[in-house]
Amino acid sequence: MESPSLTKTIHLLLLSISIFFFLLELTTASPPPSPVHCATDNTYNCTVTNAYGTFPDRSTCHAQGVVYPSSEQELIQFVANATAFKTKMKVATRFSHSIPKLACPGGSDGLIISTLHLNHVVNIDNDTMEITVESGITLKALIEVAAKANLAIPYVPYWYGLTIGGLLSTGAHGSSLTGKGSAVHEYVTEMRLVTPAPASMNYARVRVLKVGNPDLDAAKVSLGVLGVISQVTLQLQPMFKRSLTFVTRSDEDLAEQAVKFGHRHEFADLAWYPGHRKVLYRKDDRVPVNVSGNGNYDFIGFRATPTLAIEINRFAEDTVEVAKSADGKCADSLLTTSTLALAAYGLKNNALLFTGYPVIGYQNKMQASGGCAFGSEDNLLTACPWDPRIKGSFFHQTTVSIDLDRVKDFILDVQRLRDLKPSALCGLELYDGILMRYAKASSAYLGKQSDVLDFDITYYRSRDPMKPRLYEDFLEEIEQMALFKYNGLPHWGKNRNLAFEGVIKKYNESKAFLKVKDRHDPDGLFSSEWSDQILGLDGSVIVKKAGCALEGLCICSEDVHCAPEKGYYCRPGKVYNDAMVCTDVNSI
Ligand SMILES: Cc1cc2nc3c(=O)[nH]c(=O)nc-3n(C[C@H](O)[C@H](O)[C@H](O)COP(=O)(O)OP(=O)(O)OC[C@H]3O[C@@H](n4cnc5c(N)ncnc54)[C@H](O)[C@@H]3O)c2cc1C
Ligand SMILES: *[C@@H]1O[C@H](CO)[C@@H](O)[C@H](O)[C@H]1NC(C)=O
Ligand SMILES: *[C@@H]1O[C@H](CO)[C@@H](O)[C@H](O)[C@H]1NC(C)=O
Ligand SMILES: *[C@@H]1O[C@H](CO)[C@@H](O)[C@H](O)[C@H]1NC(C)=O
Ligand SMILES: *[C@@H]1O[C@H](CO)[C@@H](O)[C@H](O)[C@H]1NC(C)=O
Ligand SMILES: *[C@@H]1O[C@H](CO)[C@@H](O)[C@H](O)[C@H]1NC(C)=O
């Protein structure tokens, strides 16, 4: 028999070893698997999934076949042929990083149009500072190509394994309240969209949407239902540098500071560790290129990491979960976050070392990273932490944008809940805390409706869908509070099903969006069961069955939606009484 303290020591030792390996900088990487697998000739009888290998309902989906256009001309032919046969279609991207079921064509015998090879640079105009690219280009390649021409994309998601077509379609963003804000789609000046067309037009047509065309407000954030984005033109800026300093402070005055801070620094963001009452403030501003500094930000969580370390890390997390040890999670998160802080999160002042704040570097070296997705190895000795082929990280993500005017009250509510049992929230610190990022109101019909702060919360998900999570009542309450009490907008490319219940009513111009959809694709060939559900056209995202609330497929209304046999019953929220959450009645 091991003594509890010996077990604890072994646990921390294991965790330390895995964290140590996370800090190694490897030069090789095994990229993630393709989201599309076909049983016949790599072309027919296919399944499609996302980068995590499973959708929120734990399914994958089926399609009749896949095509890989490498030019707009080929793309038109594929869309025309499928339209002539009234075949459902959907774009899949190189890695398919969206969590919800966006990648599936309708039915089970649709056509997958992969943009894997539709990834060329079409034009860079030095005078107008515009770049035109095919939609399958990765954010990594886009940033690099622009930088070669001395140009910068001002605001982007932090993970560069996304494609421009995919990130636009879900409204993806970085963090800023400057100019038009942090959503990439705000900087689109033209899109070329291939849509179905009548027989008289040979079944497909290219729609060229320029600034001023109201259809562009639909196409900028389209969830993939308007047709295939063939090319995108973006307005760039002259290359600049950034100066970044991370500061850790108490979260005592977070509710007061959160909005102000966003107005103070162009690239501000916040990472909140509520269990430890701490906030990591990112003070990050533009500086001229002649300020010295050649720093870069290669975020540790996105690097190629030894598979063994990822698996040990997951094992450690599973262990504290099974032991129902909230304090264990707090100890682990303290170790993890303090090591990350010592390693400056992956920041370096020069090619070799972190020597201190501020870190000053070119925009293209500071804005995004994602080494684990790019490499030529195929041995799985390294991976991204969430690679479905290994026993790695597996999580839910609740990502909701809240109107700046309501952010203060939301944070106060979360703090009130946290104060009931601080350790209940340590688990999410193992996933870098609550990442809070700024974005602005958009003219895009499915874009942000007002200036917002986006709360990105990542947390443990069991491999067993029927297994409840430690203190999941706290996270479910925060989720329902953000979505319903504070009327937040869920990120289209993240979240669990319940977040999308009735979501379309939150968009003023949803009717305008649906009109454009009817005009571009009258037969709904690019629509699927999922897109019809979230657009409020047909069916519901909610799946009521035993255990459904554990996976966010429903909000519990009966105990059976939780796990009564394991002590988890459906109970009202503790701060937001309208919430209904799966509560472990033995551990309040
Ligand atoms: C590690 C990680 C970090 C992330 N960081 C951020 C972040 O910082 N900020 C943020 O906002 N989001 C972030 N995300 C979420 C991400 O932005 C979205 O999931 C994004 O949509 C995924 O892009 P993708 O290229 O993988 O597209 P997919 O998920 O493959 O596609 C999304 C949708 O767009 C459609 N689509 C794709 N290309 C086209 C096209 N050419 N024409 C028509 N439809 C198309 C697809 O059919 C699908 O419906 C992150 C995700 C991960 C995994
Ligand atoms: C499709 O592939 C599956 C295996 O992945 C196989 O069981 C099935 O018979 C195949 N269907 C057709 C029509 O070939
Ligand atoms: C056209 O579509 C039909 C039906 O989906 C398919 O069987 C055929 O292979 C396609 N032809 C081409 C050239 O893509
Ligand atoms: C644009 O500028 C870059 C460097 O500033 C240069 O390499 C490239 O040739 C220029 N392109 C054109 C078309 O002038
Ligand atoms: C940078 O260049 C500007 C003029 O373009 C000049 O005013 C400034 O002093 C320079 N700064 C440094 C640090 O060299
Ligand atoms: C949407 O409507 C609400 C309420 O009518 C209004 O406050 C808000 O400004 C509108 N947003 C946009 C983007 O039009």
Side-chain angles (χ1 to χ4, degrees), residues 16-62:
S16 311
I17 293 171
S18 86
I19 296 172
F20 171 77
F21 279 106
F22 268 85
L23 299 181
L24 288 185
E25 288 176 64
L26 304 174
T27 49
T28 60
S30 301
S34 163
V36 183
H37 287 278
C38 304
T40 310
D41 298 338
N42 289 326
T43 306
Y44 303 106
N45 191 7
C46 310
T47 57
V48 60
T49 179
N50 57 16
Y52 312 95
T54 187
F55 293 111
D57 61 359
R58 306 253 174 175
S59 68
T60 57
C61 50
H62 189 263

Side-chain angles (χ1 to χ4, degrees), residues 168 180-189 220 440-444 447:
L168 290 176
K180 295 186 204 162
S182 63
V184 180
H185 57 77
E186 294 303 307
Y187 303 87
V188 169
T189 58
K220 283 196 284 199
K440 288 181 81 170
S442 175
S443 64

Side-chain angles (χ1 to χ4, degrees), residues 119-376:
N119 62 351
H120 305 96
V121 177
V122 179
N123 186 45
I124 302 187
D125 187 324
N126 285 358
D127 297 330
T128 61
M129 296 192 287
E130 287 179 323
I131 189 169
T132 302
V133 292
E134 290 177 341
S135 64
I137 194 172
T138 59
L139 182 54
K140 177 178 196 280
L142 177 59
I143 289 171
E144 284 169 1
V145 168
K148 282 208 183 96
N150 243 328
L151 297 170
I153 318 175
Y155 315 106
V156 296
Y158 295 177
W159 161 250
Y160 63 32
L162 310 171
T163 65
I164 188 71
L167 70 86
L168 290 176
S169 299
T170 60
H173 55 87
S175 185
S176 191
L177 290 174
T178 303
K180 295 186 204 162
S182 63
V184 180
H185 57 77
E186 294 303 307
Y187 303 87
V188 169
T189 58
E190 185 176 320
M191 282 173 104
R192 292 171 70 87
L193 199 63
V194 177
T195 68
S200 59
M201 294 177 76
N202 292 323
Y203 295 110
R205 59 178 289 194
V206 181
R207 295 174 191 260
V208 183
L209 309 179
K210 294 181 197 279
V211 170
N213 183 336
D215 286 6
L216 190 58
D217 285 328
K220 283 196 284 199
V221 183
S222 71
L223 310 177
V225 299
L226 299 186
V228 185
I229 302 164
S230 162
Q231 295 178 9
V232 177
T233 304
L234 292 170
Q235 179 66 61
L236 306 180
Q237 299 179 355
M239 179 55 74
F240 55 88
K241 282 185 177 171
R242 278 158 77 157
S243 171
L244 187 165
T245 300
F246 278 122
V247 179
T248 305
R249 293 187 45 201
S250 143
D251 76 0
E252 217 172 10
D253 60 346
L254 178 62
E256 286 298 331
Q257 294 300 329
V259 173
K260 285 186 203 156
F261 186 69
H263 289 290
R264 224 171 274 150
H265 301 282
E266 181 173 355
F267 305 98
D269 74 27
L270 306 148
W272 183 14
Y273 308 121
H276 284 95
R277 303 176 185 271
K278 293 273 186 258
V279 184
L280 184 66
Y281 285 82
R282 176 177 181 150
K283 299 182 169 177
D284 192 351
D285 290 287
R286 185 184 297 242
V287 296
V289 282
N290 64 355
V291 176
S292 76
N294 202 6
N296 76 75
Y297 192 2
D298 181 11
F299 179 61
I300 289 172
F302 293 168
R303 287 182 190 163
T305 308
T307 299
L308 188 63
I310 297 170
E311 294 188 341
I312 293 176
N313 203 279
R314 174 67 180 191
F315 175 75
E317 193 183 13
D318 280 335
T319 311
V320 277
E321 189 65 39
V322 169
K324 290 196 170 191
S325 170
D327 291 335
K329 287 210 177 194
C330 292
D332 290 358
S333 78
L334 190 62
L335 180 64
T336 307
T337 53
S338 49
T339 315
L340 271 175
L342 275 178
Y345 310 94
L347 278 164
K348 282 191 197 154
N349 301 72
N350 53 51
L352 288 175
L353 284 175
F354 174 71
T355 53
Y357 293 118
V359 174
I360 298 169
Y362 286 103
Q363 164 73 346
N364 59 307
K365 298 286 187 191
M366 300 285 285
Q367 65 188 144
S369 65
C372 68
F374 297 88
S376 51

Side-chain angles (χ1 to χ4, degrees), residues 509-554:
E509 299 286 0
S510 61
K511 292 224 165 61
F513 180 82
L514 293 175
K515 268 191 201 151
V516 177
K517 172 173 132 54
D518 281 343
R519 202 150 30 74
H520 284 201
D521 180 21
D523 294 327
L525 297 180
F526 283 91
S527 294
S528 63
E529 294 78 3
W530 176 255
S531 71
D532 283 349
Q533 287 162 7
I534 58 180
L535 291 172
L537 296 174
D538 192 16
S540 163
V541 294
I542 298 297
V543 183
K544 286 248 167 163
K545 60 175 184 184
C548 57
L550 305 175
E551 291 271 280
L553 296 177
C554 70

Side-chain angles (χ1 to χ4, degrees), residues 403-462:
D403 190 314
L404 287 186
D405 291 339
R406 308 193 66 184
V407 158
K408 180 179 168 190
D409 289 335
F410 174 65
I411 292 173
L412 289 173
D413 265 357
V414 174
Q415 288 178 330
R416 225 166 272 142
L417 180 64
R418 180 271 316 274
D419 289 343
L420 299 178
K421 179 86 190 174
S423 61
L425 295 181
C426 283
L428 56 85
E429 299 177 3
L430 294 169
Y431 295 86
D432 307 311
I434 302 180
L435 180 59
M436 297 154 64
R437 293 187 288 187
Y438 304 88
K440 288 181 81 170
S442 175
S443 64
Y445 297 148
L446 300 184
K448 301 299 176 211
Q449 302 292 289
S450 60
D451 294 357
V452 293
L453 187 56
D454 183 72
F455 292 76
D456 199 340
I457 313 176
T458 307
Y459 47 100
Y460 182 84
R461 182 180 186 191
S462 170

